[in-house]
Amino acid sequence: MKLLRYGPRGSEKPGLMAADGTIRDLSGHIADVTPEALSRAELDRLAALDPMSLPKVEGTPRLGVPVAGIGKIVAIGLNYADHAKESNLPIPSEPVMFMKALSSLTGPNDEVMLPRDSVHSDWEVELGVVIGRTARYVEEADALDHVAGFTIVNDVSERFNQKERGSQWSKGKGHDTFAPTGPWLVTTDEIADCQALDMSLDLNGRRMQTGNTKTMIFPVAELIAYVSRFVTLLPGDLVITGTPPGVGDGMKPPLFLKAGDRMDLSIAGLGTQSQAVVEWRRLPEDAR
């Protein structure tokens, strides 16, 4: 299944993408795509529905983050050797972990807003893994049994804040809108091998990143097992697994995002994203 959430920010409804490319409303069967909806029993129940019998959603509504109530975002850095090389950093002997702020989550096609005074913001196409079962000290052989599905995440990064303000990467990773996620959550039964997925990112129509998850240093199963030693992964948690080479910071000279740019991301079987880049501005909730 391709589970999704559609509608205005804060008022999204649950849905799924049918085989004919139409969005079908799931409101009659679940209140939302929540962590509770990701249990094996609930996914089996939803999979048994006939998508064509569900109400068709007309038009092209906004898509939100495909899972409501994500509890935490655990990110993995430098998980592709060529990306570590272009970043002038050693290939890690163990996965590099950091946390990305929940407030950075945004829909797959929402605007990406540059931080105030930023001139070093960068792109990173990544495979996102959504947890379906609690993972605590799991073995690598069992790790994928704890996964509900996969999605695309753009791990947008402000490189100056990431690298020049001490050793805490989260300073450059957690800005508002810096985690476009979606367009949908693709359940594991639709992905034959999560280590064989082509991925790409274009900036203003120019290909910047081309990769495949087969070149990860630490595969998904190993990452889930490793992270579960230090952080208990709960249903609905999101693990983002690193980016292939081609980021702006690795170019000579470096190239960074500016207002008016557009990023287009794709991972095989998981759909596409597209974000316009805009200047920083105050949001309506800032006045509350």
Side-chain angles (χ1 to χ4, degrees):
M1 287 181 295
K2 296 180 174 66
L3 297 173
L4 56 84
R5 300 171 65 244
Y6 69 95
R9 185 187 299 272
S11 300
E12 293 92 344
K13 296 181 178 181
L16 59 79
M17 178 62 65
D20 67 350
T22 60
I23 295 175
R24 299 288 168 157
D25 181 53
L26 275 174
S27 297
H29 298 273
I30 53 173
D32 205 345
V33 184
T34 62
E36 292 75 21
L38 303 180
S39 70
R40 186 73 53 81
E42 273 294 277
L43 291 179
D44 288 346
R45 183 177 71 85
L46 295 176
L49 299 173
D50 175 10
M52 304 310 290
S53 70
L54 301 172
K56 180 181 177 181
V57 178
E58 300 295 340
T60 54
R62 170 190 173 269
L63 296 179
V65 177
V67 178
I70 291 173
K72 55 182 169 286
I73 307 171
V74 181
I76 305 299
L78 306 177
N79 198 26
Y80 291 75
D82 288 347
H83 174 54
K85 182 178 179 180
E86 72 178 354
S87 301
N88 295 314
L89 293 169
I91 295 174
S93 57
E94 294 190 28
V96 175
M97 288 173 50
F98 61 94
M99 308 298 285
K100 197 169 171 85
L102 291 176
S103 53
S104 66
L105 284 166
T106 194
N109 303 315
D110 291 343
E111 294 175 339
V112 165
M113 183 175 66
L114 297 173
R116 188 165 58 185
D117 303 321
S118 167
V119 292
H120 295 90
S121 290
D122 203 350
W123 54 85
E124 293 189 12
V125 59
E126 304 204 9
L127 174 67
V129 181
V130 178
I131 301 300
R133 291 173 52 203
T134 298
R136 181 186 296 113
Y137 291 101
V138 300
E139 298 298 324
E140 184 175 339
D142 302 321
L144 293 182
D145 291 337
H146 293 73
V147 173
F150 303 97
T151 191
I152 305 172
V153 180
N154 189 353
D155 179 21
V156 187
S157 308
E158 213 297 338
R159 299 300 187 190
F160 184 85
N161 293 346
Q162 176 188 353
K163 295 183 175 184
E164 305 299 331
R165 294 184 180 272
S167 60
Q168 301 302 311
W169 281 18
S170 296
K171 294 176 183 177
K173 298 282 191 170
H175 294 284
D176 292 340
T177 75
F178 267 30
T181 301
W184 35 71
L185 169 68
V186 181
T187 51
T188 55
D189 57 295
E190 291 203 11
I191 302 299
D193 184 357
C194 66
Q195 299 302 154
L197 303 178
D198 289 330
M199 52 202 309
S200 66
L201 183 146
D202 294 351
L203 178 67
N204 301 326
R206 175 186 169 194
R207 180 59 47 90
M208 296 296 178
Q209 291 185 276
T210 301
N212 188 289
T213 56
K214 67 183 178 183
T215 64
M216 286 182 180
I217 299 170
F218 306 105
V220 171
E222 184 176 353
L223 290 177
I224 299 301
Y226 182 87
V227 171
S228 76
R229 302 179 201 171
F230 306 99
V231 177
T232 297
L233 295 170
L234 301 174
D237 284 350
L238 176 63
V239 180
I240 59 177
T241 56
T243 197
V247 300
D249 193 42
M251 297 184 176
K252 302 185 187 308
L255 177 66
F256 296 114
L257 295 169
K258 63 184 185 305
D261 285 344
R262 177 167 291 278
M263 296 176 283
D264 294 287
L265 294 74
S266 177
I267 297 182
L270 303 183
T272 61
Q273 297 184 352
S274 183
Q275 301 108 29
V277 179
V278 299
E279 293 282 4
W280 182 85
R281 65 181 184 276
R282 292 198 178 276
L283 300 174
E285 53 265 35
D286 295 340
R288 295 173 187 168

